[in-house]
Structure formats: C-alpha cells, structure tokens
Amino acid sequence: MLKIAVIPGDGIGPEVVREGLKVLEAVAKAIGLKYQLTHYDFGGDRYLATGEVLPEGALEELRQFDAIYLGAVGHPEVPAGVLEKGLLLAIRFGLDQYVNLRPIKLYPGVWTPIKDKGPKEIDFVVVRENTEDMYVGTGGFAHYGTPDEVATQVAIYTRKGTERIIRYAFELTRKRNRKKKLTMVDKSNVLTYGHDLWVRTFNEVGEEYPDIEKDHAYVDATCMWMVKNPEWFDVIVTTNMFGDIITDLGAMIQGGMGIAASGNINPAGASMFEPIHGSAPKYAGQNKANPLAAISAVQMLLDHVGAAEAAARVEKAIAGVLASGKIPDLSAGKCPPTSEIGDMVAAAL
Ligand code: IPM
Ligand code: MN
C-alpha cells in the first residue's frame, strides 16, 4: 500500500491537485495499484488562522510517507518568505530532499517559442541542488533601515552537498542513456570559491564516469544556449539558485508553466512532487488553471516510488491529449477548464 501525503496548499494548488488525484485514481484502478492519501491543510489560510505554518511534529509525520504531493505555496495576504521558507523550504531541507529534478521536455503538439526547434531538440533534465546555496538563509542586517544599512546573504556550498548532487546527476545521465552528456552549470569565473569547489568536485567525481561526456557552461551562457541550441543538453547539474532561475526559462521552452513538473528527491527518504508553477492567486478557484504540470508531478511521483507502469501510462495519456490538439493553448485562462483537462487525461489512460 502506497502512502501519500497531500498538501494542496494555496491559490490554484487545490484545484490542480484535485485533477492530479483524479488521474492517480484512474490509473490505480486500471492497473490495480493500492494507495492511501492523507490530506494536510498547510498553507496561507491555515497560517492566517493559527499563526503557524507547519505545526510541531509535521516534519516527523511527513517523513513516514512513501511520497508527498504538493500543489502550490504563496498567499497574497501572507508576507513573502513566510510560506516559502516555513513550508516549502522547511520540507525540502527538513527531509533532506537534496535533488530538485526538473525535466524539460517538449511534447509533440505543444507550442514552443523557440523557432525551428521541436520535441527532438527539447528534451533534457535539470538536476538542481536543493539544500544549499543562498537558500540556506544565512545572513542578516546591520544598521537596519538607516542610510548605512548593510545586508548579507551568504551562499553556502559544502563538499558533501556538492558531491552528492553531482554524483546523482552522473548516475541519472548514465540511466537516461541518451547523449550520455552531463553539463555542469555555474559561475566559476566570478564565484571563485564556492563554484571552484563545484568545479573540483565535478572533475573528481567525473573520473568515476568515463562513459559520460563532461561538459561545462557558465549560467549566463546557458540561458543563451537553452534558447539557441537546446538540443545540446542531456542532463544539467547546477546550484540551487541558478537551477531555480534556468528552470523557469526551461518551463517556457517546453510549453509554459502549465506543464512543468518537478520532484524534490531524497533518494533514501520521503520525496515531494509538485508543479513548478506558483499559486497564481488571480486564477484561484476559477477552474482556469492548467493541471497538466500537477498531473505530470503525479507521473514523477509514481515513477519514483517504483510504479513504473502507472507512470508510463500517465505520461502516455498526457502526451496523447497534447498530440490530439484539444489544448491548443496551455496557459491559464486560455486552456480548457481545469477539471476538463483532468477528465481528458483520465479518459486517455
Ligand atoms: C521553485 C520556487 C521556489 C524556489 C520558491 C517558491 C521558494 O520558485 O520551486 O522554483 O525558489 O525554489
Ligand atoms: Mn522557481
């Protein structure tokens, strides 16, 4: 019995998660997969009502699940950072989900703003480090609010953290067995301490993978190549902050935020799957958001827990619906109603 924690969260989170669960139910029925859901009301509304983001013991509880399914975090009445740090980052860090896996895959039938590039050219994976960098939140203010104010925000990189993400990326590149090419993306020409550690670690770990082509690109140039020659990439490994930024660009070239999914993975613990889009409050509760990213997150979840057949069926159903041309525009407000997209995928299973 697969035990899944569900955190619908804020804004459009609940409505896209509902569709993801609809597809999960349908595929489980089709192949006889048993699962059990436990819902959590964590998010902005709960915080506003109780003053608490994650209640005591929540992380311990979440750790017990086979996987966590998250909708979105971010609430217009809650100051920026409270839910991001108190919920999303607290889970990523607390459960040591050190890999943020973000496939950038353009399905046939989906429009991309990149001229002359199609599904053959746009198919790579970004392995984003998920527990270090500026996300650790080390820093502070001096002389706050005065003309002499100083603010620091420290980027932290550890040998252990760097090594484990790079190793994960090498293994994934081998497993994908596509171009067998791993590109490390950094800014080692300027960040000559932290990213020097990354370069040295990449070179050392790389010696264990003679079958993998080692490639290197600065993050600014990577943005250029992702638009100009996306086919050069197979797997990218990068730091937390750069991974955050380049995967929004990645989402755009694969058809938009409506379709981009991700997994926060602890290979030895509980992992969490979510669409990469935010809570989009302006579309909340209107049945206008595209649930495909959330449905793809279910696919990633199934794949991660070893339900490979279920995952493959969900992906095939998503691809089938996209190829059918029934969703000519994937963006919120322009796509068919949220619930209808869920129905289409469930029917295509
Ligand atoms: C993401 C998001 C988060 C991040 C925010 C909401 C904290 O942008 O998952 O990419 O920066 O990691
Ligand atoms: Mn982001």
Short mmCIF file of all heavy atoms in Angstrom, two decimals, residues 45-108:
data_model
loop_
_atom_site.label_atom_id
_atom_site.label_comp_id
_atom_site.label_asym_id
_atom_site.label_seq_id
_atom_site.Cartn_x
_atom_site.Cartn_y
_atom_site.Cartn_z
N ASP A 45 -3.93 29.98 4.32
CA ASP A 45 -5.15 30.12 5.12
C ASP A 45 -4.95 29.60 6.53
O ASP A 45 -5.38 30.22 7.51
CB ASP A 45 -6.32 29.37 4.45
CG ASP A 45 -6.78 30.07 3.18
OD1 ASP A 45 -6.56 31.31 3.08
OD2 ASP A 45 -7.34 29.41 2.29
N ARG A 46 -4.29 28.49 6.62
CA ARG A 46 -4.04 27.92 7.95
C ARG A 46 -3.13 28.84 8.77
O ARG A 46 -3.35 29.06 9.96
CB ARG A 46 -3.38 26.55 7.81
CG ARG A 46 -3.17 25.85 9.12
CD ARG A 46 -2.48 24.51 8.91
NE ARG A 46 -2.65 23.68 10.08
CZ ARG A 46 -1.94 23.82 11.20
NH1 ARG A 46 -1.03 24.76 11.28
NH2 ARG A 46 -2.17 23.05 12.23
N TYR A 47 -2.14 29.41 8.10
CA TYR A 47 -1.23 30.33 8.78
C TYR A 47 -1.99 31.56 9.28
O TYR A 47 -1.79 32.00 10.42
CB TYR A 47 -0.10 30.74 7.83
CG TYR A 47 0.77 31.84 8.37
CD1 TYR A 47 1.68 31.58 9.40
CD2 TYR A 47 0.67 33.15 7.89
CE1 TYR A 47 2.48 32.60 9.92
CE2 TYR A 47 1.46 34.16 8.40
CZ TYR A 47 2.36 33.88 9.42
OH TYR A 47 3.13 34.88 9.93
N LEU A 48 -2.85 32.11 8.45
CA LEU A 48 -3.60 33.30 8.85
C LEU A 48 -4.55 32.99 10.01
O LEU A 48 -4.79 33.83 10.88
CB LEU A 48 -4.38 33.87 7.66
CG LEU A 48 -3.50 34.48 6.55
CD1 LEU A 48 -4.33 34.80 5.31
CD2 LEU A 48 -2.77 35.73 7.05
N ALA A 49 -5.06 31.79 10.04
CA ALA A 49 -6.00 31.41 11.10
C ALA A 49 -5.30 31.03 12.40
O ALA A 49 -5.80 31.32 13.49
CB ALA A 49 -6.87 30.24 10.63
N THR A 50 -4.11 30.43 12.30
CA THR A 50 -3.48 29.88 13.51
C THR A 50 -2.14 30.53 13.86
O THR A 50 -1.62 30.32 14.96
CB THR A 50 -3.19 28.37 13.33
OG1 THR A 50 -2.20 28.22 12.29
CG2 THR A 50 -4.43 27.58 12.96
N GLY A 51 -1.56 31.28 12.92
CA GLY A 51 -0.25 31.88 13.16
C GLY A 51 0.90 30.90 13.02
O GLY A 51 2.05 31.22 13.34
N GLU A 52 0.59 29.73 12.50
CA GLU A 52 1.59 28.67 12.43
C GLU A 52 1.64 28.14 10.99
O GLU A 52 0.61 27.95 10.37
CB GLU A 52 1.10 27.59 13.37
CG GLU A 52 1.92 26.36 13.53
CD GLU A 52 1.20 25.43 14.54
OE1 GLU A 52 0.12 24.91 14.21
OE2 GLU A 52 1.73 25.25 15.65
N VAL A 53 2.86 27.91 10.47
CA VAL A 53 2.95 27.37 9.11
C VAL A 53 2.93 25.84 9.18
O VAL A 53 2.00 25.20 8.72
CB VAL A 53 4.21 27.87 8.37
CG1 VAL A 53 4.21 27.37 6.94
CG2 VAL A 53 4.25 29.40 8.35
N LEU A 54 3.99 25.28 9.77
CA LEU A 54 4.00 23.83 9.97
C LEU A 54 3.86 23.56 11.46
O LEU A 54 4.66 24.03 12.26
CB LEU A 54 5.33 23.22 9.50
CG LEU A 54 5.53 22.95 8.01
CD1 LEU A 54 6.87 22.28 7.80
CD2 LEU A 54 4.41 22.11 7.42
N PRO A 55 2.85 22.81 11.86
CA PRO A 55 2.71 22.50 13.28
C PRO A 55 3.84 21.60 13.78
O PRO A 55 4.49 20.92 12.98
CB PRO A 55 1.37 21.78 13.37
CG PRO A 55 1.05 21.33 11.99
CD PRO A 55 1.78 22.23 11.05
N GLU A 56 4.04 21.63 15.06
CA GLU A 56 5.06 20.79 15.68
C GLU A 56 4.86 19.32 15.28
O GLU A 56 3.75 18.81 15.26
CB GLU A 56 4.91 20.94 17.21
CG GLU A 56 5.89 20.12 17.96
CD GLU A 56 6.65 20.95 18.99
OE1 GLU A 56 6.46 22.18 19.04
OE2 GLU A 56 7.42 20.33 19.73
N GLY A 57 5.94 18.67 14.93
CA GLY A 57 5.84 17.25 14.59
C GLY A 57 5.47 16.98 13.15
O GLY A 57 5.45 15.82 12.71
N ALA A 58 5.18 18.05 12.39
CA ALA A 58 4.73 17.84 11.00
C ALA A 58 5.80 17.16 10.15
O ALA A 58 5.51 16.24 9.38
CB ALA A 58 4.33 19.16 10.36
N LEU A 59 7.05 17.60 10.32
CA LEU A 59 8.12 17.00 9.50
C LEU A 59 8.30 15.52 9.83
O LEU A 59 8.47 14.70 8.94
CB LEU A 59 9.44 17.76 9.70
CG LEU A 59 9.52 19.16 9.08
CD1 LEU A 59 10.88 19.79 9.38
CD2 LEU A 59 9.27 19.11 7.57
N GLU A 60 8.22 15.24 11.12
CA GLU A 60 8.34 13.83 11.54
C GLU A 60 7.26 12.98 10.89
O GLU A 60 7.48 11.86 10.46
CB GLU A 60 8.24 13.72 13.07
CG GLU A 60 9.49 14.17 13.80
CD GLU A 60 10.76 13.71 13.09
OE1 GLU A 60 10.87 12.50 12.83
OE2 GLU A 60 11.62 14.55 12.79
N GLU A 61 6.06 13.56 10.84
CA GLU A 61 4.92 12.85 10.27
C GLU A 61 5.11 12.66 8.77
O GLU A 61 4.91 11.56 8.24
CB GLU A 61 3.67 13.67 10.55
CG GLU A 61 2.46 12.81 10.82
CD GLU A 61 1.29 13.67 11.26
OE1 GLU A 61 1.42 14.38 12.29
OE2 GLU A 61 0.26 13.65 10.57
N LEU A 62 5.53 13.73 8.09
CA LEU A 62 5.68 13.66 6.64
C LEU A 62 6.75 12.65 6.23
O LEU A 62 6.65 12.00 5.20
CB LEU A 62 6.03 15.05 6.07
CG LEU A 62 4.90 16.08 6.11
CD1 LEU A 62 5.41 17.45 5.68
CD2 LEU A 62 3.72 15.66 5.22
N ARG A 63 7.75 12.54 7.08
CA ARG A 63 8.85 11.62 6.82
C ARG A 63 8.39 10.16 6.68
O ARG A 63 9.06 9.35 6.07
CB ARG A 63 9.82 11.70 8.01
CG ARG A 63 11.27 11.58 7.67
CD ARG A 63 12.10 11.50 8.94
NE ARG A 63 12.11 12.73 9.74
CZ ARG A 63 12.87 13.78 9.47
NH1 ARG A 63 13.67 13.77 8.44
NH2 ARG A 63 12.83 14.85 10.24
N GLN A 64 7.23 9.86 7.27
CA GLN A 64 6.75 8.47 7.28
C GLN A 64 6.11 8.04 5.96
O GLN A 64 5.82 6.87 5.76
CB GLN A 64 5.70 8.26 8.39
CG GLN A 64 6.08 8.77 9.77
CD GLN A 64 7.39 8.19 10.26
OE1 GLN A 64 7.65 7.00 10.06
NE2 GLN A 64 8.24 9.03 10.84
N PHE A 65 5.85 9.00 5.08
CA PHE A 65 5.14 8.65 3.85
C PHE A 65 6.07 8.14 2.75
O PHE A 65 7.27 8.41 2.77
CB PHE A 65 4.37 9.87 3.33
CG PHE A 65 3.18 10.22 4.19
CD1 PHE A 65 3.31 11.09 5.26
CD2 PHE A 65 1.94 9.65 3.92
CE1 PHE A 65 2.22 11.39 6.06
CE2 PHE A 65 0.84 9.95 4.73
CZ PHE A 65 0.98 10.82 5.79
N ASP A 66 5.49 7.44 1.79
CA ASP A 66 6.28 7.00 0.64
C ASP A 66 6.57 8.18 -0.27
O ASP A 66 7.58 8.21 -0.97
CB ASP A 66 5.52 5.93 -0.15
CG ASP A 66 5.33 4.67 0.68
OD1 ASP A 66 6.34 4.16 1.18
OD2 ASP A 66 4.17 4.22 0.85
N ALA A 67 5.64 9.16 -0.28
CA ALA A 67 5.84 10.35 -1.11
C ALA A 67 4.88 11.44 -0.64
O ALA A 67 3.89 11.17 0.04
CB ALA A 67 5.60 10.03 -2.57
N ILE A 68 5.22 12.67 -1.03
CA ILE A 68 4.38 13.83 -0.70
C ILE A 68 3.99 14.50 -2.01
O ILE A 68 4.83 14.64 -2.91
CB ILE A 68 5.17 14.81 0.20
CG1 ILE A 68 5.66 14.10 1.46
CG2 ILE A 68 4.32 16.03 0.56
CD1 ILE A 68 6.81 14.81 2.16
N TYR A 69 2.73 14.89 -2.09
CA TYR A 69 2.24 15.55 -3.30
C TYR A 69 1.81 16.96 -2.91
O TYR A 69 0.91 17.14 -2.10
CB TYR A 69 1.06 14.73 -3.85
CG TYR A 69 0.47 15.24 -5.14
CD1 TYR A 69 1.26 15.78 -6.15
CD2 TYR A 69 -0.91 15.16 -5.36
CE1 TYR A 69 0.70 16.22 -7.34
CE2 TYR A 69 -1.48 15.59 -6.55
CZ TYR A 69 -0.67 16.12 -7.54
OH TYR A 69 -1.22 16.57 -8.71
N LEU A 70 2.48 17.95 -3.49
CA LEU A 70 2.25 19.36 -3.12
C LEU A 70 1.66 20.14 -4.29
O LEU A 70 2.07 19.96 -5.43
CB LEU A 70 3.59 19.98 -2.70
CG LEU A 70 3.62 21.49 -2.43
CD1 LEU A 70 2.89 21.83 -1.13
CD2 LEU A 70 5.06 21.99 -2.34
N GLY A 71 0.71 21.03 -3.97
CA GLY A 71 0.12 21.88 -5.01
C GLY A 71 0.95 23.12 -5.24
O GLY A 71 1.77 23.19 -6.14
N ALA A 72 0.74 24.14 -4.40
CA ALA A 72 1.48 25.40 -4.57
C ALA A 72 1.49 26.14 -3.24
O ALA A 72 0.59 25.98 -2.42
CB ALA A 72 0.82 26.25 -5.64
N VAL A 73 2.52 26.98 -3.05
CA VAL A 73 2.54 27.84 -1.87
C VAL A 73 2.67 29.30 -2.29
O VAL A 73 3.31 29.62 -3.28
CB VAL A 73 3.68 27.52 -0.87
CG1 VAL A 73 3.41 26.25 -0.11
CG2 VAL A 73 5.03 27.46 -1.55
N GLY A 74 2.06 30.18 -1.51
CA GLY A 74 2.09 31.61 -1.80
C GLY A 74 0.69 32.18 -1.65
O GLY A 74 -0.25 31.73 -2.29
N HIS A 75 0.55 33.15 -0.74
CA HIS A 75 -0.77 33.70 -0.43
C HIS A 75 -0.66 35.22 -0.41
O HIS A 75 0.24 35.76 0.25
CB HIS A 75 -1.19 33.16 0.96
CG HIS A 75 -2.62 33.38 1.30
ND1 HIS A 75 -3.15 34.63 1.49
CD2 HIS A 75 -3.63 32.50 1.50
CE1 HIS A 75 -4.43 34.51 1.79
NE2 HIS A 75 -4.75 33.22 1.80
N PRO A 76 -1.55 35.92 -1.12
CA PRO A 76 -1.40 37.39 -1.22
C PRO A 76 -1.43 38.12 0.13
O PRO A 76 -0.86 39.20 0.25
CB PRO A 76 -2.58 37.81 -2.10
CG PRO A 76 -3.47 36.63 -2.22
CD PRO A 76 -2.66 35.41 -1.92
N GLU A 77 -2.05 37.51 1.14
CA GLU A 77 -2.12 38.21 2.45
C GLU A 77 -0.99 37.81 3.39
O GLU A 77 -0.93 38.32 4.52
CB GLU A 77 -3.47 37.92 3.12
CG GLU A 77 -4.62 38.71 2.49
CD GLU A 77 -5.93 37.97 2.65
OE1 GLU A 77 -6.26 37.58 3.79
OE2 GLU A 77 -6.62 37.76 1.63
N VAL A 78 -0.13 36.92 2.96
CA VAL A 78 0.98 36.50 3.81
C VAL A 78 2.27 37.09 3.24
O VAL A 78 2.52 36.97 2.04
CB VAL A 78 1.07 34.95 3.86
CG1 VAL A 78 2.25 34.50 4.73
CG2 VAL A 78 -0.23 34.35 4.37
N PRO A 79 3.07 37.77 4.09
CA PRO A 79 4.30 38.38 3.58
C PRO A 79 5.20 37.37 2.88
O PRO A 79 5.30 36.21 3.29
CB PRO A 79 4.99 38.91 4.86
CG PRO A 79 3.94 38.97 5.90
CD PRO A 79 2.88 37.97 5.53
N ALA A 80 5.87 37.84 1.79
CA ALA A 80 6.75 36.97 1.01
C ALA A 80 7.79 36.34 1.92
O ALA A 80 8.36 37.01 2.78
CB ALA A 80 7.44 37.78 -0.09
N GLY A 81 8.03 35.08 1.75
CA GLY A 81 9.07 34.40 2.52
C GLY A 81 8.52 33.53 3.63
O GLY A 81 9.11 32.50 3.97
N VAL A 82 7.39 33.91 4.20
CA VAL A 82 6.87 33.16 5.36
C VAL A 82 6.51 31.73 4.96
O VAL A 82 6.98 30.76 5.57
CB VAL A 82 5.65 33.88 5.98
CG1 VAL A 82 4.99 33.00 7.05
CG2 VAL A 82 6.05 35.23 6.55
N LEU A 83 5.72 31.61 3.91
CA LEU A 83 5.30 30.27 3.49
C LEU A 83 6.40 29.57 2.69
O LEU A 83 6.58 28.35 2.81
CB LEU A 83 4.03 30.35 2.64
CG LEU A 83 2.81 30.96 3.35
CD1 LEU A 83 1.71 31.28 2.35
CD2 LEU A 83 2.28 30.01 4.43
N GLU A 84 7.12 30.36 1.90
CA GLU A 84 8.20 29.76 1.09
C GLU A 84 9.22 29.10 2.01
O GLU A 84 9.61 27.95 1.81
CB GLU A 84 8.88 30.85 0.25
CG GLU A 84 8.04 31.39 -0.91
CD GLU A 84 7.06 32.48 -0.48
OE1 GLU A 84 6.89 32.72 0.74
OE2 GLU A 84 6.46 33.11 -1.38
N LYS A 85 9.64 29.87 3.04
CA LYS A 85 10.64 29.31 3.95
C LYS A 85 10.03 28.34 4.95
O LYS A 85 10.60 27.30 5.27
CB LYS A 85 11.37 30.43 4.70
CG LYS A 85 12.36 31.19 3.82
CD LYS A 85 12.86 32.43 4.52
CE LYS A 85 14.29 32.31 4.95
NZ LYS A 85 14.84 33.61 5.42
N GLY A 86 8.85 28.71 5.48
CA GLY A 86 8.25 27.94 6.57
C GLY A 86 7.62 26.64 6.12
O GLY A 86 7.41 25.73 6.93
N LEU A 87 7.30 26.55 4.85
CA LEU A 87 6.65 25.33 4.37
C LEU A 87 7.51 24.60 3.34
O LEU A 87 8.08 23.56 3.61
CB LEU A 87 5.28 25.71 3.77
CG LEU A 87 4.18 24.65 3.73
CD1 LEU A 87 2.85 25.28 3.37
CD2 LEU A 87 4.44 23.48 2.84
N LEU A 88 7.65 25.25 2.18
CA LEU A 88 8.35 24.58 1.08
C LEU A 88 9.80 24.27 1.42
O LEU A 88 10.25 23.12 1.33
CB LEU A 88 8.27 25.47 -0.17
CG LEU A 88 8.78 24.88 -1.47
CD1 LEU A 88 7.99 23.64 -1.85
CD2 LEU A 88 8.69 25.91 -2.58
N LEU A 89 10.55 25.29 1.81
CA LEU A 89 11.97 25.06 2.10
C LEU A 89 12.13 24.23 3.37
O LEU A 89 13.05 23.42 3.49
CB LEU A 89 12.74 26.38 2.21
CG LEU A 89 12.73 27.25 0.94
CD1 LEU A 89 13.61 28.49 1.12
CD2 LEU A 89 13.18 26.48 -0.29
N ALA A 90 11.22 24.41 4.32
CA ALA A 90 11.29 23.61 5.56
C ALA A 90 11.17 22.12 5.24
O ALA A 90 11.86 21.29 5.83
CB ALA A 90 10.20 24.03 6.53
N ILE A 91 10.32 21.79 4.28
CA ILE A 91 10.18 20.37 3.91
C ILE A 91 11.39 19.91 3.09
O ILE A 91 11.97 18.86 3.36
CB ILE A 91 8.86 20.12 3.15
CG1 ILE A 91 7.66 20.43 4.04
CG2 ILE A 91 8.79 18.67 2.65
CD1 ILE A 91 6.31 20.35 3.34
N ARG A 92 11.77 20.73 2.11
CA ARG A 92 12.93 20.34 1.29
C ARG A 92 14.16 20.09 2.17
O ARG A 92 14.86 19.10 2.01
CB ARG A 92 13.26 21.43 0.26
CG ARG A 92 12.28 21.52 -0.89
CD ARG A 92 12.64 22.67 -1.83
NE ARG A 92 11.69 22.81 -2.92
CZ ARG A 92 11.69 23.84 -3.78
NH1 ARG A 92 12.58 24.82 -3.66
NH2 ARG A 92 10.80 23.89 -4.76
N PHE A 93 14.41 21.04 3.08
CA PHE A 93 15.60 20.92 3.94
C PHE A 93 15.39 19.86 5.02
O PHE A 93 16.25 19.02 5.27
CB PHE A 93 15.91 22.26 4.63
CG PHE A 93 16.42 23.33 3.70
CD1 PHE A 93 16.47 23.16 2.33
CD2 PHE A 93 16.87 24.54 4.21
CE1 PHE A 93 16.94 24.15 1.48
CE2 PHE A 93 17.34 25.55 3.37
CZ PHE A 93 17.37 25.36 2.01
N GLY A 94 14.24 19.93 5.67
CA GLY A 94 13.98 19.04 6.81
C GLY A 94 14.00 17.57 6.42
O GLY A 94 14.41 16.72 7.20
N LEU A 95 13.53 17.28 5.22
CA LEU A 95 13.52 15.89 4.77
C LEU A 95 14.72 15.57 3.88
O LEU A 95 14.79 14.52 3.27
CB LEU A 95 12.19 15.57 4.05
CG LEU A 95 11.07 15.05 4.97
CD1 LEU A 95 10.77 15.99 6.11
CD2 LEU A 95 9.81 14.77 4.19
N ASP A 96 15.65 16.52 3.86
CA ASP A 96 16.90 16.36 3.11
C ASP A 96 16.66 15.93 1.65
O ASP A 96 17.35 15.06 1.11
CB ASP A 96 17.82 15.34 3.82
CG ASP A 96 19.29 15.60 3.50
OD1 ASP A 96 19.62 16.72 3.05
OD2 ASP A 96 20.11 14.68 3.70
N GLN A 97 15.71 16.62 1.03
CA GLN A 97 15.40 16.33 -0.38
C GLN A 97 16.41 17.09 -1.22
O GLN A 97 16.14 18.17 -1.74
CB GLN A 97 13.96 16.77 -0.68
CG GLN A 97 12.93 15.94 0.09
CD GLN A 97 11.55 16.58 0.13
OE1 GLN A 97 11.38 17.78 -0.11
NE2 GLN A 97 10.54 15.78 0.46
N TYR A 98 17.57 16.53 -1.34
CA TYR A 98 18.67 17.32 -1.89
C TYR A 98 18.71 17.43 -3.41
O TYR A 98 19.51 18.17 -3.96
CB TYR A 98 20.01 16.83 -1.33
CG TYR A 98 20.47 15.45 -1.77
CD1 TYR A 98 21.16 15.28 -2.97
CD2 TYR A 98 20.25 14.34 -0.97
CE1 TYR A 98 21.60 14.03 -3.35
CE2 TYR A 98 20.70 13.09 -1.35
CZ TYR A 98 21.37 12.93 -2.53
OH TYR A 98 21.81 11.69 -2.90
N VAL A 99 17.83 16.69 -4.07
CA VAL A 99 17.76 16.79 -5.53
C VAL A 99 16.46 17.49 -5.93
O VAL A 99 15.39 17.10 -5.47
CB VAL A 99 17.73 15.39 -6.18
CG1 VAL A 99 17.72 15.51 -7.70
CG2 VAL A 99 18.89 14.53 -5.69
N ASN A 100 16.56 18.50 -6.77
CA ASN A 100 15.35 19.03 -7.37
C ASN A 100 15.42 18.69 -8.86
O ASN A 100 16.19 19.26 -9.61
CB ASN A 100 15.23 20.54 -7.14
CG ASN A 100 13.81 21.03 -7.42
OD1 ASN A 100 13.15 20.52 -8.33
ND2 ASN A 100 13.36 22.00 -6.66
N LEU A 101 14.60 17.72 -9.22
CA LEU A 101 14.65 17.16 -10.57
C LEU A 101 13.62 17.84 -11.44
O LEU A 101 12.43 17.84 -11.11
CB LEU A 101 14.31 15.66 -10.44
CG LEU A 101 14.68 14.75 -11.57
CD1 LEU A 101 16.18 14.76 -11.81
CD2 LEU A 101 14.23 13.33 -11.26
N ARG A 102 14.09 18.44 -12.54
CA ARG A 102 13.17 19.21 -13.38
C ARG A 102 13.34 18.87 -14.86
O ARG A 102 14.18 19.44 -15.55
CB ARG A 102 13.38 20.71 -13.12
CG ARG A 102 13.08 21.05 -11.67
CD ARG A 102 13.04 22.52 -11.37
NE ARG A 102 12.28 22.73 -10.14
CZ ARG A 102 11.92 23.92 -9.67
NH1 ARG A 102 12.25 25.00 -10.31
NH2 ARG A 102 11.22 24.01 -8.56
N PRO A 103 12.53 17.93 -15.35
CA PRO A 103 12.61 17.58 -16.77
C PRO A 103 12.11 18.73 -17.65
O PRO A 103 11.11 19.37 -17.32
CB PRO A 103 11.65 16.38 -16.89
CG PRO A 103 11.30 15.97 -15.49
CD PRO A 103 11.49 17.17 -14.63
N ILE A 104 12.83 18.98 -18.72
CA ILE A 104 12.42 19.99 -19.71
C ILE A 104 12.15 19.22 -20.99
O ILE A 104 13.07 18.89 -21.73
CB ILE A 104 13.54 21.03 -19.98
CG1 ILE A 104 14.17 21.56 -18.68
CG2 ILE A 104 13.04 22.17 -20.87
CD1 ILE A 104 13.33 22.45 -17.85
N LYS A 105 10.89 18.89 -21.20
CA LYS A 105 10.55 18.01 -22.32
C LYS A 105 9.38 18.61 -23.09
O LYS A 105 8.31 18.82 -22.52
CB LYS A 105 10.19 16.63 -21.76
CG LYS A 105 9.82 15.62 -22.80
CD LYS A 105 9.72 14.22 -22.19
CE LYS A 105 9.31 13.22 -23.25
NZ LYS A 105 9.32 11.85 -22.75
N LEU A 106 9.60 18.85 -24.36
CA LEU A 106 8.54 19.38 -25.21
C LEU A 106 7.80 18.20 -25.86
O LEU A 106 8.39 17.42 -26.59
CB LEU A 106 9.14 20.28 -26.30
CG LEU A 106 8.13 20.89 -27.27
CD1 LEU A 106 7.27 21.96 -26.59
CD2 LEU A 106 8.85 21.50 -28.48
N TYR A 107 6.50 18.09 -25.57
CA TYR A 107 5.72 17.01 -26.15
C TYR A 107 5.22 17.42 -27.54
O TYR A 107 4.94 18.60 -27.78
CB TYR A 107 4.51 16.69 -25.26
CG TYR A 107 4.89 15.93 -24.00
CD1 TYR A 107 5.05 16.59 -22.79
CD2 TYR A 107 5.10 14.55 -24.05
CE1 TYR A 107 5.41 15.89 -21.64
CE2 TYR A 107 5.45 13.85 -22.91
CZ TYR A 107 5.61 14.52 -21.71
OH TYR A 107 5.96 13.83 -20.58
N PRO A 108 5.07 16.43 -28.44
CA PRO A 108 4.52 16.74 -29.76
C PRO A 108 3.16 17.42 -29.62
O PRO A 108 2.35 17.04 -28.77
CB PRO A 108 4.38 15.36 -30.41
CG PRO A 108 5.42 14.51 -29.73
CD PRO A 108 5.46 15.00 -28.30
#
